[in-house]
Amino acid sequence: MSESEIPGIEAASETTLTDTSEFDDKPILCIDCGVNFIWTVGEQAFFRDKKLQNPPKRCKECKQAKNERLAAIAAAQASGVRQRIEVAVNCAKCGETTTVPFYPSQGRPVYCRSCFLEMNPSILNGNGAT
Ligand SMILES: [Zn+2]
Ligand SMILES: [Zn+2]
């Protein structure tokens, strides 16, 4: 057995970028408002502590706004009050992003207003008779 591997490969020249501390404040782009926010060292440690795999996606404000939105929906459902909702979906026909005032059930196609009217012209005419 002759292992002829040459161990003489030089270690990559020292980088000055190497972190000395385990964590560093990280800027993350908020998916809601598109603004960079800082994922602080403390929060990163917290995440690691909780064994969370995914870094946060929203800044504090957006996270709070989202929680309030969910809370408002939950409260409305609990009180039986129907709330106007808007859900962003992609039209199954033309692919345009549109909003619908309901939560579409999975697997059911949702259409934008123009495609919907195109397929149901009688709605525009009022009377379906020709
Ligand atoms: Zn945000
Ligand atoms: Zn459409």
Side-chain angles (χ1 to χ4, degrees):
M1 290 283 164
S2 65
E3 201 129 289
S4 57
E5 215 168 278
I6 303 159
I9 301 164
E10 270 180 62
S13 56
E14 283 175 61
T15 51
T16 49
L17 291 171
T18 315
D19 286 317
T20 43
S21 62
E22 198 177 351
F23 296 116
D24 218 346
D25 282 356
K26 265 188 205 157
I28 294 182
L29 205 62
C30 172
I31 60 164
D32 273 4
C33 66
V35 170
N36 267 322
F37 65 98
I38 298 300
W39 191 24
T40 63
V41 171
E43 282 162 339
Q44 288 176 54
F46 174 81
F47 266 62
R48 198 187 62 164
D49 220 45
K50 298 277 175 200
K51 296 202 165 33
L52 298 172
Q53 298 293 323
N54 302 315
K57 295 196 189 75
R58 289 179 179 81
C59 67
K60 274 212 176 72
E61 285 79 15
C62 290
K63 202 159 84 181
Q64 199 182 344
K66 186 196 162 209
N67 286 341
E68 280 169 9
R69 223 153 54 218
L70 291 177
I73 290 171
Q77 279 171 347
S79 62
V81 177
R82 272 189 91 85
Q83 238 206 348
R84 278 180 84 93
I85 56 167
E86 261 194 3
V87 183
V89 292
N90 287 329
C91 172
K93 197 172 177 213
C94 69
E96 286 271 347
T97 304
T98 183
T99 55
V100 292
F102 57 88
Y103 287 102
S105 44
Q106 249 180 353
R108 276 188 70 184
V110 178
Y111 304 98
C112 70
R113 193 177 154 76
S114 54
C115 287
F116 183 76
L117 290 176
E118 208 177 291
M119 292 188 310
N120 301 275
S122 58
I123 291 174
L124 271 185
N125 298 336
N127 56 349
T130 39

